[in-house]
Amino acid sequence: MSFRGLWIIHEGKIVFSRKYPIIEKQARLQEEIYVSIPSEQQFEQQFNQALLVNPSKDGVIDLNGLWPLVYIHREGVFLVTLPLAQGEVRRENTVDVDIVQLPFIDLPFISTSFVLLEALIPAIAPFAPAYDRSDLIELYSFIARVIPFGVPTDTNINNIKKVIMRPYPQTENIIERQPAWKPHSFKGRQKLEFIITETIVAVQYDSENIENVYQINGEIKCRADLEGFPEITLKLPTSNPLNIIQTHSAITNPDFNTSKKLVFSPPLSSFHLLTYSLLSIPDIPIRGYFQMHINESGQAQVLLQLKLNTDIPNNFQYCRISIPFSREIASIVPTHSEGNVKVNEENDGLVWDIGQRFVGRRREASLPVIVNFIDAEITGDPFIVDSNCCAKIEFRILDYTISGIKLDEKCISVARNSSSFTPKFETSCQTFEYLIWNSWGDVKYSRDPFYIPE
C-alpha cells in the first residue's frame, strides 16, 4: 500500500507535512481521477471547511476532488493521510459517507490508512499539547523510517527507536543493498514462524422464521528472525475461497488475490501478515438441538443433543458446553452419554465437559438433565430468563483450519538468505461465540448479514 502524503494539523494549522514524489508520479498515471495536492495554505483552508460539513473525529472525505483523504483526531491533533487509490474505486459510494458505512473490505487502501494513522499516535504523543513545529524534527526522522518512500515498512515504535538510537556497526560486512527502512540485519539464531488462527461465530435457532448465523474469520501471524534482508514467498493452499480483509504493508505483490501467493520483506518483530474471512461457508462444525422446559414444579427439564460434522477432526484440545440459568441451582440429575457434568462455581449454570473427542462412530452426544432451583432469582444476563436460554459451546482444534489452509516447508521460499533453518507452523480453529438457543423459548436475536440458508 502506498501513500501520497501525510499531514498533522493542530488548531487548524499544519505543523507537519510530508509528500512522496515517487507515489505522486504513480498517481498521475490515473489521469481520469488524478487531482494534484494543493499548497499547505490551500490544504489548511479546504480541510477546515470540510470539517465544518463533516465534523466527525474519524472519517474519509473528498477535498475538492482529492480522494480519499483519511483522517483521525487523537492527542489534540488531526492526523491526515492520502493513500494511492488502487483497484476498482467506487468513489461515488464513499464520498461524505459515515465511517461505519464504508465498505472497507472492498477498499483495503482506506482500512490500511486508518491502521497507519493509529500506529503513529505513540510517536506524536510526546509533543502534546503544544506541538511546536520547531520541536518536530525528531518526528521527521521517525516518519522517514516508517514510510521512507511512501510505502510503510515497520510501524513498531520500539523497533524504530532502536534503529534511531543505535549507531551503524563498523564491523558489519554489507554485501547486498540495504533497504532504507532496515539499516541493520538480524543477528542470532534464525527462525521463521507462522501461526494461523481461525475463529467461528455461530448461532443456531432451530426456527423456520429465523436464519442461523455462521461466520469464519482467520488471521496469519508471522515472525521472521532472519539474517540479511530476505524476501519471503508464501503460497496459500486453500480449498475454500478467501475474502482478504487486510494485509500488512510489507506485502509487495498486488496480485495476491489471484496468484494465492504473498511476497513480503518481513519487519523485525512479530506482525499480522493477513486477515481474512471465508466467502464460501462449508457445513457447520457442530449442529445442535436444545430444548428446555420448566414444569409446574419449577424443575427445568433439559435436553441437549450434538452431532459433529464428519469433515471435522474428532480430536479437540478442549470441548465444553455451558448452559446459564436465571435462577440459583439447588441440585441436578444428569443422564449424559459421555463426559462430565457439574454446576458452575456461581451456581447459576451447568458445565458439560465432553473432553477431547465424541465417543462412538455416529459422533453424537446427548445431555438429558433435570435441574432443581432455589426459588430466588439472580441478577444475570437479561436475555437469559427461564425458558429463553441457550447453550454455549467452546472448543479448539489444533492442526486444522476450516478454510483448508495448511502450510508446510513446500509453501515457503526465502530469497536473499543462504542459511539453513526449519520454518515452524501452527494452525488452530476455535470458537469465538457458538450458541444454540432453546427451541421452546422466546429467542432474542438481531438481524445479521452472515447466516446459513436453510
Side-chain angles (χ1 to χ4, degrees), residues 67-103:
W67 182 92
L69 203 67
V70 182
Y71 68 91
I72 64 174
H73 187 266
R74 303 287 189 277
E75 301 291 341
V77 298
F78 283 96
L79 285 83
V80 187
T81 189
L82 178 64
L84 178 64
Q86 298 174 335
E88 183 181 352
V89 181
R90 296 184 294 175
R91 178 175 176 177
E92 67 279 3
N93 297 333
T94 57
V95 175
D96 296 331
V97 175
D98 188 84
I99 185 174
V100 299
Q101 299 176 346
L102 284 175

Side-chain angles (χ1 to χ4, degrees), residues 378-430:
I378 60 175
T379 302
D381 190 332
F383 286 97
I384 307 299
V385 180
D386 292 335
S387 61
N388 192 75
C389 61
C390 64
K392 301 180 180 181
I393 303 178
E394 297 177 88
F395 65 80
R396 188 168 190 251
I397 306 174
L398 300 179
D399 300 322
Y400 175 77
T401 58
I402 294 180
S403 65
I405 295 179
K406 186 173 180 61
L407 302 181
D408 54 30
E409 293 186 35
K410 297 180 181 179
C411 301
I412 305 292
S413 63
V414 182
R416 300 198 296 268
N417 184 288
S418 58
S419 302
S420 61
F421 56 88
T422 302
K424 294 183 179 180
F425 308 94
E426 178 181 322
T427 58
S428 65
C429 175
Q430 62 193 38

Side-chain angles (χ1 to χ4, degrees), residues 265-329:
S265 297
L268 297 173
S269 61
S270 178
F271 63 101
H272 292 263
L273 181 64
L274 181 74
T275 57
Y276 60 89
S277 62
L278 293 194
L279 288 173
S280 175
I281 305 297
D283 197 8
I284 195 167
I286 298 178
R287 286 205 173 266
Y289 178 74
F290 178 50
Q291 289 185 338
M292 195 278 279
H293 173 69
I294 298 179
N295 59 27
E296 296 179 354
S297 302
Q299 291 179 322
Q301 296 177 319
V302 178
L303 174 62
L304 176 60
Q305 296 176 318
L306 303 176
K307 182 174 180 59
L308 179 64
N309 190 308
T310 55
D311 295 331
I312 305 298
N314 191 9
N315 185 19
F316 299 91
Q317 186 180 26
Y318 59 82
C319 182
R320 52 180 174 264
I321 299 92
S322 60
I323 305 176
F325 296 102
S326 59
R327 301 183 184 183
E328 187 173 349
I329 297 175

Side-chain angles (χ1 to χ4, degrees), residues 350-366:
L350 302 179
V351 177
W352 181 20
D353 189 352
I354 290 181
Q356 295 183 333
R357 61 183 295 107
F358 280 59
V359 179
R361 294 183 178 180
R362 296 175 63 87
R363 294 185 166 206
E364 296 178 348
S366 63

